[in-house]
């Protein structure tokens, strides 16, 4: 008998549903975008009700496309945009405000207060995170402080909060379950990643009543069942993880030292560190990877690059030198190298490991001979160099050389980018045949909990190599290019428009 698992992949711009069979093949999928709400510069919100409706609609559509009904599903797994928060009223089941999205910067000033050395150290020690508006805690506090009557209702125990996974479970179970998994909890800045529990001191720091918080559960394990009326049967909800952690699981990075990088709008690299939460000396984040039922917490080191595939979109939309993103490859391939041009894609500052919010993009080394093709090639190199910087920081934090890099995400489709990546790292780059690793990871977590697969080891044959990219450059040439790149980064960091002599 075939067993099917439904993955709900709730992303920043769309909700998707993908049905996998027990051989990890995609049987059917559906996707719906929803509105991005920008009430003020730097603010980003989502309508939590719209997210739920889009998610439910895609689940029904995927089932219909697969020619299946709810009784054919062995389990549901959820993966989601991380850090984004919803606060809702338990009495009505309705959100008290739009969700505040991870990209939202409204709590920047509040977060500056957390940068005092003692407070920053406390946060770093307990949560593995750095003080930044990115994480959930300051957003929950903002809602309590700014929505009429919210604090009184919260103190009276009427309000519930959670990241998007918790919100979806609450709706899927018709209000019966209020839970979040350890990986999502680890992104809130309220969770002690060593003890695996909400932290009283942090809750006090952010002035958040503990009664609002969801129960923290395993990433793989039955948490509840869908209300029968929604999809036509009660289906076990058996897997949950934040999107990047789900991708790490979907890539089967189960051993310490295994690394994956996702090339989407930005790039997200996670290295599995097993039962050890590795503390970073290079400003990488220490985060929970997942927890399987009855097993200890597993940890990861994480580094994010803000502009990845978005740099290619800029070649298309900003410069107009290509019409569609995939055209970058032919253009860049039309020259043997970038002709000495270096492009630093610091359009919104630089993320890990540089953390330079004020840096801006730069193209250096232009000559009369420079063409659009050189700029295109330098752009692909700029993406790869940023990823190389993160990998190097990870190697230094972990005290070991990382053997190979597993890749996924939209821009991992570019053979040239993957070759450049391997060349810039001197490490093999492995692209699997299924690059929907985020949804696949959620499906695996859910399927493992209900016996679709016997255990993580049973998944090994499902990871199929599409292509391995091996480095073709010699170490001296590689070192030379990296040194050029690092000097270009220094220039991009040093330049501040309008700061010259007046
Ligand atoms: P996200 O999940 O962040 O929306 P995706 O994983 O869908 O992103 O990846 C989209 C990115 O991949 C875009 O920024 C686009 O520029 C890039 N991209 C898509 N196809 C290709 C390709 N064939 N070659 C290079 N880049 C590509």
């Amino acid at each position: 008998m075939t067993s099917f698992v439904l993955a709900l992949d709730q992303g920043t711009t769309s909700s998707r549903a993908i049905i996998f069979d027990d051989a990890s093949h995609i049987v059917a999928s559906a996707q719906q975008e929803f509105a991005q709400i920008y009430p003020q510069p730097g603010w980003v919100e989502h309508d939590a009700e719209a997210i739920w409706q889009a998610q439910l609609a895609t689940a029904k559509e995927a089932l219909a496309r697969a020619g299946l009904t709810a009784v054919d599903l062995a389990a549901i797994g959820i993966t989601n945009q991380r850090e984004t928060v919803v606060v809702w009223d338990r009495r009505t089941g309705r959100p008290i405000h739009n969700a505040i999205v991870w990209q939202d910067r409204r709590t920047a000033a509040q977060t500056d207060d957390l940068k005092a050395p003692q407070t920053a150290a406390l946060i770093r020690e307990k949560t593995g995170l750095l003080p930044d508006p990115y994480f959930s805690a300051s957003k929950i506090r903002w809602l309590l402080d700014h929505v009429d009557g919210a604090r009184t209702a919260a103190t009276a125990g009427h309000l519930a909060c959670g990241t998007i996974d918790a919100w979806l479970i609450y709706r899927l179970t018709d209000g019966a379950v209020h839970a979040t998994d350890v990986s999502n909890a680890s992104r809130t800045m309220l969770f002690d990643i060593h003890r695996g529990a909400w932290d009283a001191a942090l809750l006090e720091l952010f002035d958040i009543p503990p009664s609002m918080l969801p129960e923290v559960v395993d990433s793989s394990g039955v948490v509840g069942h869908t209300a029968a009326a929604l999809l036509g049967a009660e289906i076990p909800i058996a897997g949950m993880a934040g999107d990047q952690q789900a991708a790490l699981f979907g890539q089967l990075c189960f051993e310490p030292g295994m690394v994956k990088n996702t090339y989407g709008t930005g790039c997200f690299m996670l290295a599995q560190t097993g039962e050890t939460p590795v503390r970073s000396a290079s400003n990488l984040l220490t985060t929970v990877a997942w927890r399987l039922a009855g097993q200890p917490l597993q940890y990861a080191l994480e580094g994010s690059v803000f502009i990845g595939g978005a740099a290619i979109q800029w070649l298309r939309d900003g410069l107009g030198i290509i019409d569609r993103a995939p055209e970058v490859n032919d253009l860049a391939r039309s020259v043997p190298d970038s002709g000495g041009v270096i492009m630093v894609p610091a359009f919104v500052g630089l993320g890990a490991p540089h953390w330079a919010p004020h840096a801006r993009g730069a193209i250096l080394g232009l000559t009369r001979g420079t063409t659009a093709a050189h700029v295109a090639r330098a752009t692909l190199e700029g993406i790869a160099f940023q990823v190389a910087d993160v990998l190097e920081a990870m190697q230094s934090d972990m005290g070991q050389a990382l053997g190979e890099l597993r890749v996924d995400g939209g821009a991992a489709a570019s053979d040239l980018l993957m070759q450049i990546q391997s060349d810039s790292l001197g490490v093999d780059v492995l692209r699997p045949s299924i690059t929907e690793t985020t949804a696949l990871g959620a499906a695996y977590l859910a399927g493992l909990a209900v016996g679709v697969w016997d255990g993580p080891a049973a998944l090994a044959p499902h990871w199929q190599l599409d292509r391995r990219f091996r480095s073709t450059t010699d170490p001296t040439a590689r070192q030379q290019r990296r040194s050029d790149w690092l000097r270009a980064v220094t220039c991009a960091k040093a330049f501040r428009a309008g700061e010259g002599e007046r």
Side-chain angles (χ1 to χ4, degrees):
M1 198 190 90
T2 315
S3 304
F4 299 98
V5 180
L6 170 64
L8 302 179
D9 181 357
Q10 205 304 300
T12 306
T13 57
S14 73
S15 293
R16 300 194 310 150
I18 302 185
I19 297 173
F20 292 92
D21 66 16
D22 57 5
S24 308
H25 295 131
I26 294 176
V27 180
S29 67
Q31 178 164 13
Q32 265 192 25
E33 294 197 358
F34 51 84
Q36 306 293 310
I37 303 164
Y38 305 109
Q40 290 186 31
W43 293 29
V44 188
E45 297 180 356
H46 289 156
D47 176 348
E49 189 62 30
I51 284 185
W52 159 242
Q53 292 300 341
Q55 197 64 75
L56 182 62
T58 56
K60 290 180 178 170
E61 200 178 326
L63 276 170
R65 285 190 183 164
L68 299 173
T69 63
V71 292
D72 299 313
L73 295 177
I76 291 181
I78 298 174
T79 182
N80 53 289
Q81 53 167 318
R82 303 176 300 173
E83 297 99 10
T84 299
V85 290
V86 186
V87 173
W88 64 93
D89 193 319
R90 292 193 168 98
R91 294 167 295 186
T92 61
R94 297 286 160 231
I96 63 164
H97 190 274
N98 281 335
I100 303 187
V101 177
W102 57 273
Q103 298 152 321
D104 191 291
R105 309 301 292 179
R106 80 184 63 183
T107 55
Q110 179 194 328
T111 316
D112 280 342
D113 297 343
L114 306 174
K115 291 182 180 159
Q118 261 188 336
T119 316
L122 173 88
I123 290 174
R124 188 85 170 132
E125 181 50 42
K126 290 194 168 179
T127 70
L129 309 175
L130 301 166
D132 193 277
Y134 179 29
F135 306 103
S136 315
S138 64
K139 301 176 195 292
I140 300 170
R141 183 189 190 145
W142 189 94
L143 289 168
L144 290 177
D145 289 344
H146 292 85
V147 177
D148 260 359
R151 192 158 283 285
T152 316
T155 311
H158 297 314
L159 299 191
C161 71
T163 41
I164 295 292
D165 54 319
W167 169 242
L168 291 179
I169 286 210
Y170 181 80
R171 296 304 298 262
L172 283 165
T173 60
D174 202 15
V177 176
H178 182 209
T180 192
D181 94 294
V182 286
S183 72
N184 276 293
S186 77
R187 314 298 295 188
T188 58
M189 203 171 264
L190 299 171
F191 189 70
D192 182 329
I193 59 170
H194 308 281
R195 290 189 299 115
W198 298 122
D199 186 81
L202 292 170
L203 284 162
E204 198 170 311
L205 180 68
F206 287 97
D207 203 6
I208 297 171
S211 62
M212 293 180 74
L213 295 172
E215 180 193 352
V216 182
V217 299
D218 295 333
S219 316
S220 179
V222 178
V223 190
H225 290 77
T226 56
L230 290 174
L231 295 170
E234 291 189 0
I235 310 156
I237 303 162
M240 291 202 277
D243 51 11
Q244 297 309 321
Q245 283 92 335
L248 189 68
F249 201 86
Q251 286 273 24
L252 306 189
C253 292
F254 298 154
E255 301 298 324
M258 293 183 80
V259 200
K260 73 91 196 173
N261 189 53
T262 300
Y263 298 79
T265 308
C267 294
F268 290 90
M269 189 186 290
L270 268 77
Q272 231 280 358
T273 65
E275 292 175 34
T276 314
V278 173
R279 209 188 157 125
S280 175
S282 341
N283 285 329
L284 302 178
L285 304 177
T286 308
T287 203
V288 172
W290 53 72
R291 188 174 64 201
L292 305 184
Q295 306 268 326
L297 282 167
Q298 300 287 305
Y299 297 91
L301 264 182
E302 173 171 333
S304 351
V305 166
F306 298 142
I307 300 289
I312 299 166
Q313 292 172 333
W314 177 73
L315 296 180
R316 182 192 65 195
D317 307 333
L319 280 193
I321 60 173
I322 50 173
D323 289 326
R324 294 182 323 109
E327 288 172 17
V328 70
N329 300 305
D330 283 342
L331 182 58
R333 223 189 286 277
S334 68
V335 285
D337 55 45
S338 67
V341 176
I342 303 255
M343 145 46 139
V344 185
F347 297 103
V348 294
L350 287 168
H354 305 290
W355 295 109
H358 301 291
R360 287 297 174 264
I363 303 179
L364 293 141
L366 300 175
T367 66
R368 285 291 300 271
T370 302
T371 65
H374 294 117
V375 173
R377 197 166 180 113
T379 300
L380 295 182
E381 290 177 351
I383 297 170
F385 283 136
Q386 294 181 96
V387 171
D389 291 346
V390 176
L391 191 91
E392 204 158 81
M394 278 184 177
Q395 304 198 113
S396 127
D397 282 340
M398 292 173 74
Q400 72 181 92
L402 301 169
E404 55 185 38
L405 179 67
R406 297 189 168 194
V407 299
D408 51 56
S414 165
D415 289 351
L416 181 58
L417 175 59
M418 295 303 102
Q419 186 58 52
I420 291 172
Q421 187 68 80
S422 177
D423 288 342
S424 64
L425 293 170
V427 159
D428 284 8
V429 168
L430 275 62
R431 185 173 64 200
S433 45
I434 298 186
T435 49
E436 293 288 359
T437 50
T438 306
L440 187 59
Y444 283 161
L445 288 165
L448 284 169
V450 298
V452 173
W453 300 287
D454 289 339
L459 300 172
H462 297 228
W463 194 94
Q464 299 281 336
L465 184 69
D466 166 48
R467 192 162 163 192
R468 176 187 289 265
F469 298 85
R470 289 194 170 86
S471 172
T472 53
T473 48
D474 68 85
T476 319
R478 182 179 316 127
Q479 223 28 62
Q480 177 67 48
R481 285 295 286 164
R482 287 268 301 161
S483 142
D484 286 350
W485 158 258
L486 291 172
R487 277 180 292 114
V489 167
T490 307
C491 293
K493 281 174 146 161
F495 175 77
R496 288 198 183 206
E499 280 206 343
E501 285 175 36
R502 275 167 239 264

